[in-house]
Structure formats: C-alpha cells, structure tokens
Amino acid sequence: MLTRIDHIGIACRDLDTTVAFYRATYGFEVHHTEVNEEQGVREAMLRINGTDDGGASWIQLLEPIREDSPVAKWLAKHGEGVHHIAFGTADVDGAAQAVGARGVRVLYDEPRRGSMDSRITFLHPKDCHGVLTELVTAAQDAPGHGEHG
Amino acid sequence: MLTRIDHIGIACRDLDTTVAFYRATYGFEVHHTEVNEEQGVREAMLRINGTDDGGASWIQLLEPIREDSPVAKWLAKHGEGVHHIAFGTADVDGAAQAVGARGVRVLYDEPRRGSMDSRITFLHPKDCHGVLTELVTAAQDAPGHGEHG
C-alpha cells in the first residue's frame, strides 16, 4: 500500500537560509520550489535518492507565508525541526480509506494538492504516536500519467 | 557524499505498541530488533523501500531502556514523535569530517555502533535548523563488506 518514504517535511523560519545550509553542508540541490497558498507555505524540494518503486525520497523545506498557516503555528510552538513525514503510494485515496478504516483520523475529506502536483492527505498525529504523517501520490505515480503528453 | 534518506528515528514510550500500530495501520513489518545499551534504547527497524544507491530506507522505532538515556530525556520534553533523521553514506568518517569542516558540531569524536552493525554519528540540532541529524554507513555499505564471508 505504502511503498516508500516519500519525504521528510522540515519547518524553517527562512527558506533561503535553510536551503543554503543544506546545499553548503551536504551538497543537496533544490529540484523544485513553489508556493502553496492553501497550505500557507513556500517550499523547496531537495531530491535525495531514487526508490525501488520508481519514485524518489526528498527533503521538503517549508517556510510559512502567513501567520495563521498551520506551519507558522507549529513553528511558534516547537521551533524549527521535523514537521511531518510522508509515505508514498500509488493510490492515496485507497490508502487514506484503508487507514481511516483502521481508526486513524484522516484530516482531509478528499486529498488536496501537494508539492509538484502530488495529491496528499494527512493523518492526525495523536493517532500516530505523535507523528504528523502524510500520504502522497506523486504526479508520476498517478494512473493515467503520461497519457496526456 | 550522502546518498539516501537512510531512516527516520521515532521515539516512542512502548515499542511493542508502536510496532503493532505501524503493522496494523500501514502493513510495515519488523525486519530487525535490538537493544543498544550504549544509546540506552530498544529499537525496531521497519524496512520501507530500497534506494538507488543499493541501500534502503527504514523507520526506526526507539524506546528508552533507562531514564537517563538521551531518548528518555527527549521523550520527557517533547512527547512521542520524530527524534532524528539519518542520511546514508558509504563513508561516515569522511562525511563527518567534511560536515565538521563546514562548521557543524559533530557529536562523536569517532563514529559509534548503530542499528544492524552500522556506524553512525550525530550532528548538533542547533547547527542543523532544529533537526537532530545522523550520518550512517550501513554494514553492507562499508568497504570490505562481504570479503570475510
């Protein structure tokens, strides 16, 4: 059902400084940046490795773009650090339904848009031993990807 | 230098309960368990996927075995959740030296024994934007592995 560690989401106060740290310290390069207005974040995706399900594992750096975003509230409470982890699946809808049926609260009624046109949902950290857990279907994992060019 | 997300280390109060949660909720199976007396933890390794450097990515669940262990102190302060992240490398000694030369505090003078006969070191979270970061060379990554049988 879940076939990879897709990414580790890290909350930071200043995206440019944090990107510079990851590049200078480890040599990780930015593959993609975007603003997700709905999530209230500006983010950078650093590709770390490919995975044997045909996907990849990433570090996702997240800077809040408004004070009422969930990541801004989380930063105010916790300081910088690991905000969430994400498991990759070819079928986020089915995975969310299966996990929900096992008694874990799924935070969205329907998956929403995540980084790089992925589809994502989150599981309640109190139901996951304190870990905010995301389920994600990457754009290239989605059925029909490539059929439209 | 660093070629994969090797694992996500998650601190929990009760290893058996947490292992049962990961198995029942996601279908992840325990590949390995051990007690690391030096680190003061009992741990379970759940293999999530293979990686394109020939390694794998894992969830590492950690339960403290004594109250003065670093993980016990961390749990008392933070509650259950993501304790650290780990990047895999074929050369933890060289990676630690390189990262240290860039001004990040490396917590051990020499790498120590980690899960499954790996060699590990940690970077100070205050130098890594709040993320306790481990560098790890898995046993199968080490030069000479396999030469002795």
Side-chain angles (χ1 to χ4, degrees):
Chain A
M1 180 174 76
L2 307 179
T3 55
R4 69 177 172 275
I5 294 179
D6 187 86
H7 64 266
I8 301 168
I10 296 172
C12 62
R13 295 213 166 81
D14 184 278
L15 187 62
D16 297 338
T17 302
T18 311
V19 161
F21 167 79
Y22 275 85
R23 181 186 291 123
T25 308
Y26 307 124
F28 298 150
E29 296 291 343
V30 173
H31 179 89
H32 176 82
T33 61
E34 68 181 84
V35 171
N36 187 318
E37 293 286 352
E38 183 184 17
Q39 301 283 344
V41 293
R42 191 163 77 95
E43 60 183 62
M45 297 294 283
L46 316 182
R47 188 182 187 281
I48 312 301
N49 59 268
T51 55
D52 61 3
D53 65 349
S57 295
W58 310 78
I59 293 292
Q60 179 187 54
L61 302 175
L62 302 160
E63 176 197 287
I65 56 171
R66 53 174 196 266
E67 287 185 9
D68 67 343
S69 72
V71 171
K73 293 175 185 172
W74 189 91
L75 270 172
K77 185 173 176 184
H78 298 89
E80 293 187 315
V82 176
H83 175 262
H84 68 272
I85 69 173
F87 295 114
T89 169
D91 177 16
V92 65
D93 302 86
Q97 189 169 31
V99 167
R102 290 163 201 159
V104 173
R105 282 169 285 180
V106 179
L107 299 189
Y108 301 155
D109 290 336
E110 296 287 335
R112 298 185 188 176
R113 187 182 171 285
S115 303
M116 303 183 293
D117 292 323
S118 60
R119 297 179 67 243
I120 66 171
T121 195
F122 285 96
L123 310 179
H124 199 302
K126 288 191 179 172
D127 294 346
C128 300
H129 288 270
V131 178
L132 177 60
T133 304
E134 180 182 327
L135 308 178
V136 53
T137 295
Q140 75 271 14
D141 291 337
H145 175 75
E147 290 178 3
H148 309 291
Chain B
M1 180 176 76
L2 307 179
T3 55
R4 68 178 174 275
I5 294 178
D6 186 86
H7 65 267
I8 301 168
I10 296 172
C12 62
R13 295 211 167 80
D14 184 279
L15 187 62
D16 297 338
T17 303
T18 310
V19 161
F21 166 81
Y22 275 86
R23 181 186 290 122
T25 308
Y26 306 126
F28 297 150
E29 297 291 345
V30 173
H31 180 89
H32 176 82
T33 60
E34 68 182 84
V35 171
N36 187 318
E37 293 286 353
E38 183 185 17
Q39 300 284 343
V41 294
R42 192 163 75 96
E43 60 183 64
M45 297 294 282
L46 317 181
R47 188 182 185 281
I48 311 303
N49 59 267
T51 55
D52 62 2
D53 65 349
S57 294
W58 310 77
I59 294 291
Q60 179 187 54
L61 302 175
L62 302 159
E63 177 199 286
I65 55 170
R66 53 174 197 264
E67 287 184 11
D68 66 343
S69 73
V71 171
K73 292 175 185 172
W74 190 92
L75 270 171
K77 185 172 176 184
H78 298 90
E80 293 187 317
V82 176
H83 175 263
H84 68 272
I85 68 174
F87 296 114
T89 169
D91 177 15
V92 65
D93 302 85
Q97 189 170 29
V99 167
R102 289 162 202 161
V104 174
R105 281 169 284 180
V106 179
L107 299 189
Y108 302 154
D109 289 335
E110 295 288 335
R112 297 183 187 178
R113 188 183 170 283
S115 304
M116 302 185 293
D117 292 322
S118 60
R119 296 179 68 242
I120 66 172
T121 195
F122 285 96
L123 310 179
H124 199 302
K126 288 191 180 172
D127 294 346
C128 300
H129 289 268
V131 178
L132 178 59
T133 303
E134 179 181 328
L135 307 178
V136 54
T137 295
Q140 76 270 13
D141 290 337
H145 175 74
E147 290 177 2
H148 309 290

